[in-house]
Every structure is written in C-alpha cells, then in structure tokens.
Amino acid sequence: MSVSKGPLEIALEAEAPIDLADRIIDALRYRIGKDRQAARPHDWLAATVLTVRDRVIDKWMASTRNAHASGAKRVYYLSLEFLIGRLLRDALSNLGVMEEVRAALSSLDVDLEIIREIEPDAALGNGGLGRLAACFMESLASLDLPAYGYGIRYVNGMFRQRIDDGWQVELPETWLEYGNPWEFERRESAYHVGFGGEVIADEAALAKWVPGEQVIAMAVDTPVVGYGGKRVNTLRLWNAHAIDPIRLDAFNAGDHIGALAGKNRAESLTRVLYPADSSSAGQELRLRQEYFFSSASLQDILRRHIQYFGDIRTLPDKAAIQLNDTHPAVSVAEMMRLLIDVHNLGFEEAWKITVATFGYTNHTLLPEALESWPLALFERLLPRHTQLIYAINANVLKAARKVRPDDDAFVAAISLIDERGDRRVRMANLAFAGSHSVNGVAALHTQLMKETVFADLNTLYPNRINNKTNGITPRRWLQQCNPRLTSLIREAIGDSFLARAENLTDLDAFASDAAFQEKFAAVKRHNKVDLSEYLRRTLGIKTDPDAMFDVQIKRIHEYKRQLLNILETVALYNQIRLHPERDWTPRVKIFAGKAASSYHRAKQIIKLANDVARRINADPAVGSLLKVAFIPNYNVSLAELIVPAADLSEQISTAGLEASGTGNMKFALNGALTIGTLDGANIEIRDRVGDDNIFIFGMTADQVAARRAEGYDPAAAINASPELAQALANIGSGVFAPDDPARYTDLVHDLFHSDWFMVAADFDAYERTQRRIDKVFQHSAIWTEKAVHNTANMGWFSSDRTIQQYAADIWGMI
Ligand code: 26V
C-alpha cells in the first residue's frame, strides 16, 4: 500500500481561475438561484462547496467502482459520533486546489478566508471518541482503503455553549440552518427499522419478529476526501422518517397535532446527540437511536454484500465491521437476527460469521460510561434480540463453566446479563463476546482492560484483547490548522511527511540549529498573535504573545482535573502577589470545554474558572504576569485556532483514567511541550519525544490504585501543602465569589473528604513541575529545541499508522 502521492503529483486537471470562477457563478445562479449582486456570504459558501463537490464526485464514483471491480474487502466503522468539524478547508487541501479556489474567489471579490469561517462545524460528537472517528475516516481515504462510516445525522449536534456570568448555558446547535451543501440524500437507500411488538413462530416453527412500530432510515451521504484526492469514501448518516408522514383521518377530523404525532415521534430519533454523561445512560430514546442506526447500517451492509458477492457466508472475507465503543453493540444481536431470521442460517454458523466480522474498540474504563440496559426495557423494545442474547449467553456461560467449573463469580462476571438488582444487559460483554478483536486505545489502557473490567472475559478469550494506540490526521492537525509551521517544515525536509508522518524525524537534525529555532519560534509567536487577537476581540482580554500560553482544552470532567490546574493558578496568583519581586514567567492560562448538561460539578468548575479569571485579570498587582481566559463554545474549529498557539499542553488526568487522549498528540505535533501524568498516550508520547522533552509529574496508575487501597486521606494531603491549603481557603471563603461566598463550599468540602480524583495528592508535584517549566521557558533556545524534538517525533501518532495497524491486525485488509 502506498500513500506517497504528494499534492504536486495530484492528477486533477487544473483549471484556469477564470473557468473556476465561472463555475462558481453558475452554481450561484443555477443551483442557489442568486446573482452576484444578491449573493450573501452563505450563498458564496454554498456555491463554492457545490463547485468543489462536483470535482469530488467523479473520484467518489471511481472509488466505489474500483472497490467493486476488485472485490476488495470493505471496512465499516459504526459510530454514534463523527466530530468532523468544517469540511471546506479539508476538501480543498486534500484535493490540492486551495490556491486555485482562493484565486477564483478573489477574482470575484470574495475572500476565501471569510467564507471558510462561516461554514458551520459539523459537531456530531461529544469529544475524543467522535473526533477519532473523523480522523480515522480521513486516514482510511488517504490510505486508499475502501471504507464507510455509519452514524446518525443529528439535526441538533453537540449544544452550543454560551458563558453567562461565568455559567455555562446550553443552546441548540443549528448547523443545518442554511442547509448542508456537502450532503447527498439517498432516497433509494432506505430501510425499515422496527421496535417493540412480539415474536411469533411461523408455519416452519421459525421465529418471526412482528414489530409494533416501524420507522424508515434514510441515508444521507457525505464524501470524505483522502490526501491527494486519490480516494473518496462515504460517510453515511441515517435520518429517521415516519412511514406515514401524516394521518389524514385524524387531520380531517380536526386533530392536527395528533395527525403529526407519528411523524414527530419518528423524527425525534435523529434529533439530538446525547451528551456523554451518566444521566443520559439508560434513557430509552438513546437505546432506540443505537438500534435504529445499527439496524439500518447492517441491512445496508448485507444488502451490498449480497448484491456484489451473492453469498452471505463470505461476509467476513469481504466486510470488517468495527464497533466504536459499545454504542453500536446491539449490532451483534441484530446481525444474528438478520443471518438467522432473514438469511435462514443456523445459529452456530451465524455466530461464526458474526464473530469473524466484528471488532470492538473500548474507549473508557470509567464505570459510569459502561453501558447496560434494564432487561425489561430491552425486551419491550427488542423482543427478538432479547431471545437471541439469551441464546448467545447460554453458549458463553457454558464455555465459562468449562474453563472454571466451580467459580460462580467468574461466570457471573462474564454473563451478558447482570443479575444483580434489576437485571441488565451488559453491552460491553455482548460486544466482547461477539467480536474476534477487542482493542484498547493506548498501551496502558489496554493493559488496564486486561487487569480490571475485562479480566474475566480476557481469561475466557485470551487472545482477543489487543492495543491500537490512537492517532490524529496530520493533514487537519498540522497542514491545515498550522500552515506556517507546515511551510517551515516543508522548507527544511520536503513535504513527504504529510503522507508519511514518520518522516518528520528528519526535523530532529534541525533542533539545535539556531537559525531554524528562530524561525520555529517566530511561527509559534505568529500563531499566538492570532489567538491573542481572538481573545481580545471575543473576550476583551488583553494578552502578551510573549507570555507562555498554557492550555487545557477538552471536555470538562473531574477525572481530567481542570480543577488541579485552577488550584495551581490560584496558588500562583497568591505567590505573585506575595513576592512581586521574583522573576516570574508571564503566563496566559487558557481553558475551554463543554460540560455535559446534567453534570453539576463540571459546570461548577467552569464557573470557578471564570470567577478566578475575572478576579485575576482585573488585579493590577499581577498585571500581565498572569491572565486567565475561559474560551466559550469549544469545538473542532476553535481547537484548530488554539492548538498551533500553545506553548504548554495540559494533560493532567488522574493516572489510569484517560484512556488515551488525542489532544495531547495535536499539541505536541504543533510544538507545544506537555505537562502530564503517566496516563493514556502520554506514556507513549514520552517514550517517543524523550524524557527531557516532556514534563511528567504525579502518581502512576499503580500508585493511584495502591493509595486508594491503603485508604487515601485528602485532608492530610491538603494540610501538608500550605499553598494548596491557602488556595482552597481562598476559594472556600468566597474570595473569587464575593456575590455568593458559599458558592464553592461543597466543592472544597468534597476535596477534603473524598477527592476521588486525587487532586490534592498530586498538587505539590504538579506545582513544582510548573515552577520548573517557568525556568525552562525563560531560555527560549532550550525551550524551542525541545519543541522541535516534539514535532519531529510525533509522526508515529498519525492516524495513518493507527489505521494501518487496524487494517493489518483486525480487519485482515493488508
Ligand atoms: C459515554 C456515554 C454514556 C452515556 C450516553 C452518551 C455517551 C457518549 C459517550 C460516552 C463515552 C465517551 C468515551 C470517550 O469519548 N472516550 C475518549 O475516547 C478517546 C478516543 O479513543 C480517548 O482519546 C479519550 O481518552 C477517551 O476519554
């Protein structure tokens, strides 16, 4: 397999800008219905997208035809989230037509940058899991692997976050407000998806499911352009429709609302993306979404297989289906139903095909995120699947008893049904039993999977668990978001690194070259000026681009320990006021991230960050030595602005809890140094960039576990740390909340009395490391040398490498 084609080799017929401009004008006139005078910026965006899209279509069709003609195996990535962000820059860049389109627009007096900025973010995901799916789709196309992503076309994706008086306010995301010129509705690709009803036996005594309710899943396709424009794959998102859009009898009888109830009920299936929190776990609509998209996707996959290959028995040779976490795990039961009830296979044969086809990726060990459904709910919604799960479970339990005949706890832990309390279906166990491969997303995470949540399943199926450390696409996360750094690297080592990121190691030779360091530092400064300007414009916060930009951007969650960072900020603030004469390194602390709507503590942490920011930014005693900014509405586009401007990347989760992290990779690739715990992929980042080029602190996962086991006493840890105690006293007594001094009483109380995430235990080590970092930052040549080593050694974290490993080890494709 080769991905060596660079943009210069792209076989796209270049058009004169004037022709391209004509085409854009044509699109504006004939597809949008406006002329130049009437066109608004959104019309120009749509006309440009439609014109670019035309160029994609031939390649798209050719990609499908080739896969068909060669009988190639296809990979299907099933994910409830695809956090793809904006698509225009990605498509222009991967097609190699950025400058051509810029020139054409410019000849029409339209600024590409302006229309690019108004493209809405496709925010169809919560965070890392969704963004990973988007990076994987890009890498699959870039590596010329035939692939389909399957998911849901949420009308309202991730909520828009506004900060009102420091508090998070959630507003609906209306990304489809102006339509979506990237997508193609495929009205012919529609499937019925059933819910409820009953299972009866037909004349041949075969089970037959008669659903009580049915909806239509209709495909909406978005092209995914690979690097160099060689292959275009499909992201197929499902839209729910009612079978009867209106009940005319009810309507004619005057019941206008009741007439539309069925339509509303069906369409509500694809209305909202659930936030990643425990309160949404267990909600019926969420299970309906999971089944809806699993069923539609599998029907589509089996239909395609039969159409091309004729024989359902060859499915595992021609299709690999990857389950992105347990969200699509009901697919295992749906596959069994389709093979047995529709394709008339026997149970054993169907099971062999199922296991050979599926792979399952786990993305978190947090107990509250491990999905399970009340058996009663499951049975009411999916009676046939419940029967099949019982049948699968009977076999699994038999196998478990054979391995450990007298170990009831072992058998109970493996069971697909949790028999404690209300009986529940365990989706992770179902996914595990139904897949030939179960992977974690970083080495430590995979190790912990084997030792903790999946220890028993790992004993029963000893070779199933494997590791596939996450990656990020260097096209979006270097070439597109950081064009300045990309040009500099290109000047130094050529542009092969965009297709072969491991070639970035050639940069190591420049790390101690003073002239190169200067240019590298100038790029960083330039990017910081851009971010600084954004902070001034949007938040009215003035920042010095020569200060250290210290950044923590990610979902707000206690395990990610934004609180540790805020506490250190307060401690630093106290120290600066106490010792103004010291040689402080000016810092800008930058936070961004969304809290799940029902996660009270996470929202309180956002408010605290904002309260602390307000006080510190207004205090002349610290002036420009310390500034704090909480940037609202974190999303992919904001990350593309912030990541290239960061000096320091905060990756400070309680060890053992961050499965991998991918933000950590984006920052290091763009020349930020990491302060981090030995958690997730931080460990592997350290292994590659070298101990001297990363700041590691705090307890290891083993130490965290041991400390917990011996009985951790947070109050003792706090009392042993005067700076932490002082910071907590300030926060607890309302120094940062004069309008409501009791606002953080409970937060501080919980730290003293439980501190599950061990903020206090790691505080001193974190604080000391920050002060060491201050010193290093003052030696800009040393700092930059380390930064270059980071960029040079992050190539391994390309999602191309990750996808190649999936393709070779799990999917049997290369
Ligand atoms: C859980 C739930 C539970 C209830 C309903 C909605 C919902 C949605 C998502 C989740 C799980 C989120 C898991 C996740 O995002 N994990 C992240 O995956 C990244 C990619 O592998 C990884 O880098 C992060 O460390 C990990 O936190």
Side-chain angles (χ1 to χ4, degrees):
M1 182 181 31
S2 143
V3 285
S4 62
K5 281 231 164 81
L8 301 178
E9 301 166 67
I10 296 168
L12 278 176
E13 342 71 80
E15 264 178 279
I18 195 75
D19 296 337
L20 190 58
D22 284 348
R23 284 176 187 243
I24 295 172
I25 293 291
D26 279 356
L28 192 62
R29 176 184 289 271
Y30 297 111
R31 289 154 87 175
I32 296 169
K34 295 237 179 138
D35 60 18
R36 274 178 80 171
Q37 285 64 39
R40 320 253 315 152
H42 274 285
D43 301 319
W44 285 114
L45 171 64
T48 307
V49 170
L50 290 171
T51 308
V52 173
R53 203 182 77 163
D54 285 349
R55 293 221 182 163
V56 170
I57 289 176
D58 290 338
K59 296 188 176 297
W60 199 4
M61 290 178 173
S63 301
T64 312
R65 260 197 319 272
N66 291 346
H68 182 188
S70 66
K73 189 167 184 176
R74 292 171 173 82
V75 55
Y76 297 103
Y77 200 77
L78 267 56
S79 176
L80 225 44
E81 306 189 8
F82 287 93
L83 198 42
I84 51 186
R86 291 177 178 148
L87 295 182
L88 181 58
R89 179 164 62 177
D90 196 51
L92 293 179
S93 174
N94 275 359
L95 288 168
V97 297
M98 182 79 79
E99 293 318 313
E100 196 189 329
V101 170
R102 192 190 305 282
L105 283 169
S106 166
S107 77
L108 300 167
D109 284 329
V110 177
D111 184 344
L112 172 61
E113 292 311 304
I114 289 177
I115 63 164
R116 217 168 49 70
E117 283 291 312
I118 59 171
E119 182 181 8
D121 257 51
L124 311 182
N126 275 284
L129 168 149
R131 183 54 232 177
L132 185 76
C135 284
F136 279 7
M137 287 304 296
E138 200 270 357
S139 278
L140 282 159
S142 297
L143 292 167
D144 201 15
L145 292 168
Y148 290 76
Y150 278 109
I152 288 182
R153 179 184 178 275
Y154 302 103
V155 172
N156 298 113
M158 189 58 173
F159 65 83
R160 198 153 54 80
Q161 179 195 56
R162 203 172 67 199
I163 301 296
D164 268 2
D165 187 30
W167 293 102
Q168 167 175 298
V169 176
E170 299 110 40
L171 303 167
E173 173 59 75
T174 51
W175 70 295
L176 294 171
E177 199 176 352
Y178 292 94
N180 178 1
W182 288 111
E183 63 185 28
F184 291 80
E185 265 202 14
R186 304 292 190 201
R187 289 174 184 269
E188 72 289 359
S189 294
Y191 300 91
H192 283 76
V193 177
F195 296 98
E198 55 185 345
V199 182
I200 52 172
D202 67 10
E203 324 66 269
L206 295 171
K208 193 164 178 295
W209 177 28
V210 186
E213 181 191 349
Q214 292 206 313
V215 295
I216 294 175
M218 192 185 284
V220 179
D221 287 351
T222 301
V224 180
V225 183
Y227 180 61
K230 219 166 28 172
R231 163 171 283 280
V232 180
N233 280 329
T234 303
L235 174 60
R236 174 159 282 194
L237 302 178
W238 298 105
N239 224 338
H241 291 280
I243 293 178
D244 296 316
I246 184 164
R247 275 185 44 219
L248 276 180
D249 54 341
F251 190 85
N252 292 336
D255 180 7
H256 300 155
I257 293 177
L260 291 170
K263 175 177 155 71
N264 286 335
R265 184 172 160 78
E267 290 176 3
S268 71
L269 262 173
T270 50
R271 186 93 66 201
V272 293
L273 163 73
Y274 272 98
D277 68 9
S278 39
S279 79
S280 42
Q283 291 201 9
E284 179 173 339
L285 182 60
R286 169 84 181 179
L287 177 56
R288 283 176 175 266
Q289 287 185 332
E290 293 183 354
Y291 178 65
F292 167 79
F293 108 101
S294 295
S295 176
S297 307
L298 290 195
Q299 291 185 60
D300 199 37
I301 292 166
L302 296 194
R303 191 253 326 136
R304 186 174 300 113
H305 181 79
I306 293 291
Q307 182 187 331
Y308 289 163
F309 304 108
D311 182 358
I312 199 67
R313 291 175 178 80
T314 59
L315 184 71
D317 302 332
K318 298 297 178 188
I321 305 178
Q322 194 66 28
L323 304 173
N324 198 23
D325 217 294
T326 56
H327 314 154
V330 67
S331 295
V332 170
E334 174 70 355
M335 178 68 92
M336 289 295 282
R337 182 187 76 84
L338 292 170
L339 294 179
I340 295 170
D341 297 358
V342 178
H343 293 275
N344 301 315
L345 296 188
F347 186 92
E348 293 304 329
E349 192 175 16
W351 185 242
K352 274 209 182 82
I353 292 173
T354 298
V355 174
T357 306
F358 282 112
Y360 155 51
T361 306
N362 174 278
H363 294 269
T364 178
L365 301 173
L366 290 187
E368 64 269 28
L370 288 181
E371 286 187 300
S372 71
W373 295 101
L375 191 58
L377 165 64
F378 205 93
E379 190 156 27
R380 175 161 59 75
L381 229 48
L382 301 169
R384 177 60 179 143
H385 300 78
T386 309
Q387 286 183 344
L388 289 165
I389 286 174
Y390 280 138
I392 297 166
N393 202 28
N395 286 346
V396 170
L397 294 181
K398 204 160 98 194
R401 273 201 203 92
K402 220 163 147 189
V403 175
R404 292 212 192 150
D406 304 316
D407 191 342
D408 290 346
F410 176 72
V411 176
I414 281 170
S415 176
L416 307 189
I417 312 287
D418 184 349
E419 304 282 354
R420 300 165 303 183
D422 66 332
R423 303 172 74 210
R424 301 178 80 90
V425 186
R426 292 171 168 153
M427 302 312 275
N429 295 37
L430 176 63
F432 198 119
S435 302
H436 65 284
S437 161
V438 176
N439 74 284
V441 291
L444 172 67
H445 169 231
T446 302
Q447 188 55 36
L448 292 172
M449 281 169 69
K450 291 183 187 167
E451 289 169 6
T452 63
V453 269
F454 296 117
D456 296 306
L457 279 159
N458 185 45
T459 304
L460 184 58
Y461 305 106
N463 299 316
R464 234 166 243 200
I465 298 186
N466 64 94
N467 180 54
K468 295 287 168 282
T469 299
N470 283 165
I472 56 173
T473 164
R475 273 75 62 179
R476 185 176 287 252
W477 296 110
L478 179 56
Q479 184 186 22
Q480 293 157 35
C481 75
N482 201 344
R484 296 183 184 109
L485 184 55
T486 303
S487 320
L488 177 62
I489 298 173
R490 222 182 225 143
E491 276 169 33
I493 65 167
D495 64 6
S496 70
F497 67 94
L498 290 168
R500 299 181 176 280
E502 64 276 13
N503 291 356
L504 279 170
T505 49
D506 291 350
L507 266 190
D508 259 334
F510 294 82
S512 51
D513 172 334
F516 186 81
Q517 284 176 0
E518 214 167 283
K519 291 189 208 159
F520 196 93
V523 163
K524 182 63 80 181
R525 191 173 190 287
H526 216 136
N527 294 336
K528 288 166 72 177
V529 168
D530 286 352
L531 179 57
S532 199
E533 174 55 25
Y534 182 85
L535 293 174
R536 194 195 53 74
R537 204 176 65 233
T538 60
L539 298 174
I541 300 178
K542 288 208 185 92
T543 50
D544 176 2
D546 291 317
M548 182 197 305
F549 281 22
D550 168 350
V551 182
Q552 188 171 23
I553 51 173
K554 48 183 79 236
R555 280 183 297 131
I556 309 292
H557 200 293
E558 285 165 283
Y559 86 80
K560 295 177 185 282
R561 299 200 294 191
Q562 281 92 357
L563 188 54
L564 177 59
N565 190 351
I566 298 170
L567 288 170
E568 193 274 330
T569 305
V570 171
L572 174 60
Y573 173 58
N574 289 337
Q575 288 299 308
I576 295 175
R577 291 205 311 168
L578 219 53
H579 306 287
E581 75 292 348
R582 284 191 191 159
D583 182 21
W584 296 104
T585 299
R587 280 203 194 220
V588 183
K589 288 261 189 185
I590 295 166
F591 296 89
K594 293 175 181 173
S597 23
S598 66
Y599 191 170
H600 170 256
R601 181 48 52 83
K603 290 177 144 180
Q604 198 180 23
I605 290 169
I606 292 177
K607 173 64 173 160
L608 178 60
N610 280 289
D611 277 350
V612 166
R614 177 157 51 188
R615 161 107 198 209
I616 293 179
N617 295 344
D619 190 340
V622 295
S624 60
L625 289 180
L626 183 59
K627 295 278 182 198
V628 184
F630 186 98
I631 308 181
N633 201 34
Y634 181 54
N635 59 17
V636 172
S637 297
L638 205 49
E640 290 169 359
L641 171 71
I642 300 171
V643 167
D647 294 304
L648 187 65
S649 153
E650 299 268 355
Q651 308 300 337
I652 58 177
S653 50
T654 315
L657 297 184
E658 187 69 272
S660 161
T662 46
N664 46 4
M665 302 169 189
K666 292 160 198 164
F667 282 107
L669 179 63
N670 283 277
L673 304 195
T674 302
I675 178 166
T677 45
L678 285 176
D679 199 14
N682 296 352
I683 299 173
E684 291 154 85
I685 292 175
R686 179 203 56 179
D687 292 346
R688 290 192 162 72
V689 305
D691 255 324
D692 290 346
N693 301 313
I694 187 167
F695 301 99
I696 297 293
F697 74 96
M699 291 185 290
T700 62
D702 285 345
Q703 288 166 339
V704 167
R707 186 95 181 246
R708 226 168 244 160
E710 78 194 23
Y712 166 53
D713 177 4
I718 294 167
N719 293 328
S721 168
E723 291 198 21
L724 174 59
Q726 180 62 53
L728 284 173
N730 296 150
I731 292 168
S733 66
V735 166
F736 298 96
D739 54 324
D740 176 13
R743 182 174 296 140
Y744 302 110
T745 315
D746 60 334
L747 186 149
V748 172
H749 178 273
D750 289 354
L751 265 190
F752 270 94
H753 293 92
S754 110
D755 189 19
W756 179 254
F757 299 98
M758 302 213 165
V759 169
D762 271 342
F763 181 85
D764 279 357
Y766 178 61
E767 201 268 344
R768 271 198 309 274
T769 306
Q770 290 285 26
R771 298 293 75 78
R772 189 156 68 84
I773 290 171
D774 282 344
K775 297 262 156 6
V776 182
F777 192 74
Q778 295 192 350
H779 301 279
S780 71
I782 296 177
W783 184 274
T784 304
E785 181 172 347
K786 292 180 189 300
V788 176
H789 281 307
N790 270 265
T791 301
N793 289 286
M794 286 302 292
W796 189 80
F797 295 93
S798 165
S799 44
D800 295 349
R801 183 269 314 155
T802 314
I803 285 297
Q804 272 162 325
Q805 292 179 334
Y806 274 84
D809 305 344
I810 303 178
W811 302 332
M813 291 176 84
I814 47 179

